[in-house]
Amino acid sequence: MPFKEKSECSFTTCESIFPFGKKDNILRFAKIIENSFEGITLLNKDLQIIYRTNSAERISGWADSDLLLHEIDRLIHPSDRSWLVIFLAELRNTPGQSKICCFRLKHKNGNFIWVECVFTNSLNEPEIAAIVCNFRDITARKNAESASALALQDRNMILESIDDAFFILDTSWQVKYWNKTAEKLLGTPRNAILNQNFWDVFSSDLLPKSHFWYHEAFKSNQAVKFEEYYSAFEKWFDINAYPSEGGLSVLFKDITERKIFDAKLNDLNENLNERAKELALANAELEQFAYVASHDLQEPLRMVTSFLCQLEKKYADRIDQKGKQYIYFAVDGARRMRQIILNLLEFSRVGRTEDNLEEVDMKKLVNEIRLLFHRQMKELKAVVTVADMPTIVSYKTPVRQVIQNLVSNCLKYHSPGIAPRIKIKSTTISAGYRFAISDNGIGIEPENFEKIFSIFQRLHQFDELPGTGMGLAITKKIVENLGGKIWVESKVGKGTTFYFTVINHNK
Ligand code: ADP
C-alpha cells in the first residue's frame, strides 16, 4: 500500500486552550508533530506503514519514496525481526494497549540505529484507526550503555580473577559487590550478602578494627590499611579500604600463614637472644677462669722449672746422661707449658685492656713490624712489599698485634728452600679497610680454613714446626673485638692470603 499524503491526515484540538481558528490549530499541530524530536509512524491493521512524520524520515534517513513495502522488514535488524513480529501481532489483538520496546533499525547510511518505540493500538479509535508508533533514536544511549557494560564486565573479570578478596559497600553499608575470593575467605556466598547491610552479616563485635577503620575512612575520605584477626575463622587479614563518593572499596587477603611465621620467628628470636645472653655469660665466666688459671699457674710452673735447673746444677756430678736428658725434657715441657699459659693469658685478655682510639699510620706501623722481624727476614732472605697503606682511626696495639701475628706466620710457614715473598695491601670498604697479607709459603688445605682459627688447633707436629696453636685464635678474637672479620684463602704449595677488615672510626 502506498504512503498516505501528509495533507490527508486530520487533527483535532481543544479550542479553549488554543483560541485560534480550528484550521489554524490543525496546521499548528501538524507543524509541531511533523518537526518534533520524536518520529511518528502509523501502521494499519496489517502492520503496513500508512503515515510517517518528517521527523521519522529525519531519524531513519529514509524518505517515503525510498521505502518499498516489501523491503520494510529488511530494515529491522535480523536478530530483532522475529520477536518484533510477535510483539506487534499481540499488540494488534489488544485494542487500546500501549507497549514499549527497543530494536535496531537500518539507517539509510547503511548503519543500524537503536530506536525506542511506544506502540499504541488505536485501531478502534475512529479518528486515528491506526497503530501509532512514537519512536526516537537512542543509539548514543545504547552505545554508552554497552560501553559501560563492557567496562563493568572488564572490571568484574579483573576483580574475579585477582587472588585478593574484594567487596564494595555503598554509603549506607550495603554490599554492592562481592568477589569470588571474598566468598571463599569469609565463607559467605555472594547471593547471601549482596544488598545486605555489611554489619548485619558481620557484627562489629567480631570485626571491631574493621568497624573502626571503615568509619574512619569515610570520615577522613582517606584510604586506610590495617590487619585484623577474625576469630570465627581463626584467620588474619590484611585489609585496605578506599573511600569514594559512592562508598567504600575493600581489598583484603589472608595473611594467617605469614602471621604464624612471624610469631614463630619472634619466638625464635627471643630464644636466640636468651641463648646469646647465656652464651655471653658462659663465655665471660670461661674467660675469667682462663685468666685466673693461667695467671695462677705461672708461679708453680716457675718453681718447677727453677728447681729442675737447681737439680741439674747441684747434682750434675751425680746424675747420669739419661737423668740429664730427663731433666732437659722436663724443663723443655715446662717452657712449652709456660708459653701455652702465656698465650692463654693473652687470649683471655683480648678486649680487656682499655685502648684509646687514635690515628694509626699503617705504613709506619708495618715498617715497625718489619724491623721487629729484621733478623729472621734476613736469614730467610724474605722480601716484604707494602702497598696502599692508609692512615686509620682505630686501636693501635690490637691492630699491630694482628699484623704481627700474620707476618710471623708467613715467615714461619714458608716453603723450605724458597725465600718468603710477603705482600701487604689494603682496600677501602664501606665501613673502613680490608687488609690482605699474603705469602708464597706451604699453603693450607681448604678443609682447615676454619679449624686454624680455633684455640690449640695446629696442622703440624711440634717437632716439625713449634707453636701453641693459639696465634690465629688470638688474632681472630682481636679482629672481631674491633668489629671486623678475618678469613683465609690458600693453595697448598702456592701460598696463603689472610684477609681482615678494620672499622675506620673516622668515617
Ligand atoms: P701456631 O703457629 O702456633 O701453630 P697459629 O694459630 O698461628 O698457631 O696457626 C694455626 C695453624 O695454621 C698453624 O699450625 C699452621 O698450620 C697454619 N698456618 C697459619 N698461618 C699459616 C700460613 N701463613 N701458611 C701456612 N699455614 C699457616
Side-chain angles (χ1 to χ4, degrees):
M1 181 193 267
F3 293 106
K4 267 192 174 183
E5 279 302 308
K6 287 191 169 93
S7 53
E8 283 177 38
C9 187
S10 63
F11 291 94
T12 54
T13 183
C14 174
E15 284 164 44
S16 57
I17 301 172
F18 297 102
F20 310 106
K22 191 171 179 178
K23 204 171 163 214
D24 282 351
N25 281 341
I26 288 169
L27 283 174
R28 179 167 283 114
F29 273 112
K31 202 139 189 98
I32 290 169
I33 286 172
E34 287 299 326
N35 296 309
S36 89
F37 179 70
E38 295 194 353
I40 298 176
T41 301
L42 299 184
L43 309 175
N44 66 13
K45 66 176 175 17
D46 299 322
L47 303 178
Q48 292 169 329
I49 296 176
I50 50 172
Y51 171 72
R52 295 168 78 232
T53 54
N54 287 340
S55 48
E57 195 176 311
R58 202 180 53 243
I59 292 170
S60 67
W62 301 105
D64 290 351
S65 53
D66 295 327
L67 295 171
L68 297 172
L69 265 186
H70 65 273
E71 282 185 340
I72 284 174
D73 264 9
R74 296 176 57 191
L75 298 186
I76 311 293
H77 193 282
S79 311
D80 295 332
R81 250 177 239 159
S82 47
W83 67 260
L84 193 61
V85 167
I86 298 169
F87 178 93
L88 288 175
E90 277 174 14
L91 182 88
R92 182 182 48 196
N93 297 335
T94 42
Q97 202 193 30
S98 272
K99 277 173 113 179
I100 188 163
C101 69
C102 300
F103 60 89
R104 281 154 287 181
L105 188 73
K106 193 170 200 164
H107 192 274
K108 195 178 174 184
N109 65 14
N111 295 330
F112 279 97
I113 59 168
W114 273 99
V115 288
E116 184 182 65
C117 294
V118 181
F119 286 98
T120 308
N121 182 342
S122 300
L123 286 168
N124 287 355
E125 282 186 43
E127 288 147 322
I128 303 176
I131 293 173
V132 182
C133 165
N134 278 55
F135 70 99
R136 59 176 143 162
D137 183 353
I138 57 160
T139 313
R141 195 182 87 197
K142 277 284 186 186
N143 285 346
E145 275 173 12
S146 56
S148 69
L150 268 177
L152 205 69
Q153 209 178 322
D154 277 358
R155 185 204 74 173
N156 289 355
M157 219 172 74
I158 294 167
L159 292 177
E160 290 307 315
S161 61
I162 56 174
D163 286 340
D164 288 357
F166 179 79
F167 62 82
I168 297 174
L169 305 177
D170 70 8
T171 46
S172 55
W173 303 110
Q174 276 205 359
V175 180
K176 290 296 167 195
Y177 189 85
W178 193 256
N179 81 350
K180 234 187 287 171
T181 319
E183 284 188 318
K184 204 169 83 190
L185 288 190
L186 290 175
T188 309
R190 193 182 315 222
N191 298 343
I193 194 155
L194 275 188
N195 297 319
Q196 302 287 318
N197 185 302
F198 184 82
W199 303 117
D200 288 347
V201 183
F202 298 100
S203 98
S204 54
D205 294 342
L206 272 177
L207 296 171
K209 272 191 175 180
S210 297
H211 191 262
F212 173 80
W213 282 113
Y214 292 171
H215 281 84
E216 200 59 30
F218 265 138
K219 249 191 277 166
S220 63
N221 200 25
Q222 300 270 337
V224 293
K225 180 177 172 59
F226 57 95
E227 290 177 356
E228 176 146 49
Y229 181 66
Y230 186 30
S231 54
F233 277 50
E234 295 183 341
K235 273 183 183 162
W236 273 98
F237 294 122
D238 175 82
I239 304 167
N240 286 279
Y242 306 92
S244 66
E245 263 182 33
L248 199 67
S249 302
V250 181
L251 204 61
F252 66 101
K253 59 178 164 225
D254 184 352
I255 51 161
T256 316
E257 266 181 34
R258 197 196 80 199
K259 279 286 192 185
I260 292 172
F261 181 77
D262 284 355
K264 277 186 186 160
L265 206 68
N266 243 6
D267 285 354
L268 210 68
N269 266 345
E270 267 171 31
N271 273 347
L272 269 175
N273 281 343
E274 206 57 41
R275 295 269 301 142
K277 268 188 217 155
E278 284 170 16
L279 266 174
L281 209 69
N283 218 14
E285 278 169 7
L286 261 177
E287 278 181 6
Q288 183 65 14
F289 169 76
Y291 178 73
V292 171
S294 47
H295 194 265
D296 292 358
L297 277 175
Q298 281 189 86
E299 189 45 37
L301 195 64
R302 237 193 314 267
M303 275 177 67
V304 171
T305 319
S306 81
F307 278 109
L308 278 171
C309 291
Q310 291 289 337
L311 196 70
E312 193 187 22
K313 222 192 276 175
K314 279 211 164 181
Y315 303 96
D317 48 341
R318 277 182 259 172
I319 301 173
D320 64 3
Q321 267 317 100
K322 199 98 192 144
K324 282 181 182 163
Q325 201 180 13
Y326 289 160
I327 290 174
Y328 170 78
F329 287 147
V331 172
D332 188 50
R335 204 184 306 124
R336 277 160 59 183
M337 194 166 171
R338 184 168 177 269
Q339 191 53 50
I340 292 173
I341 289 170
L342 284 177
N343 284 159
L344 258 181
L345 198 61
E346 192 184 341
F347 183 80
S348 62
R349 270 186 185 148
V350 172
R352 277 173 191 256
T353 47
E354 302 235 326
D355 285 304
N356 288 328
L357 274 177
E358 59 186 300
E359 276 203 350
V360 186
D361 179 345
M362 291 301 287
K363 196 169 176 185
K364 216 162 136 194
L365 187 126
V366 169
N367 279 336
E368 284 168 19
I369 293 168
R370 237 188 199 161
L371 277 178
L372 204 70
F373 293 107
H374 179 71
R375 203 172 48 86
Q376 203 181 346
M377 281 170 57
K378 207 171 163 194
E379 274 169 23
L380 293 168
K381 296 193 173 66
V383 177
V384 180
T385 50
V386 184
D388 311 323
M389 285 294 114
T391 295
I392 60 173
V393 175
S394 190
Y395 300 93
K396 190 171 179 177
T397 313
V399 171
R400 178 210 296 272
Q401 188 66 48
V402 170
I403 297 179
Q404 197 171 307
N405 285 0
L406 295 175
V407 170
S408 155
N409 277 353
C410 291
L411 294 170
K412 185 164 153 189
Y413 298 103
H414 69 272
S415 291
I418 298 177
R421 298 260 176 278
I422 303 170
K423 289 181 193 151
I424 306 175
K425 62 177 194 169
S426 81
T427 317
T428 312
I429 54 168
S430 58
Y433 291 94
R434 186 186 67 210
F435 291 91
I437 299 182
S438 43
D439 62 41
N440 57 342
I442 57 174
I444 304 166
E445 299 274 2
E447 63 261 34
N448 292 320
F449 285 180
E450 290 284 323
K451 190 176 158 187
I452 53 171
F453 292 104
S454 305
I455 53 172
F456 302 131
Q457 291 299 329
R458 308 205 62 233
L459 307 178
H460 305 275
Q461 292 299 320
F462 189 83
D463 308 342
E464 219 183 308
L465 283 162
T468 58
M470 286 293 292
L472 286 178
I474 293 169
T475 308
K476 183 174 189 241
K477 200 173 168 197
I478 296 173
V479 170
E480 288 175 353
N481 212 51
L482 291 173
K485 272 189 197 166
I486 184 165
W487 67 100
V488 67
E489 282 173 10
S490 181
K491 273 201 177 130
V492 174
K494 296 260 184 235
T496 305
T497 303
F498 280 93
Y499 295 95
F500 69 95
T501 57
V502 175
I503 293 174
N504 183 12
H505 292 270
N506 219 5
K507 287 196 172 179

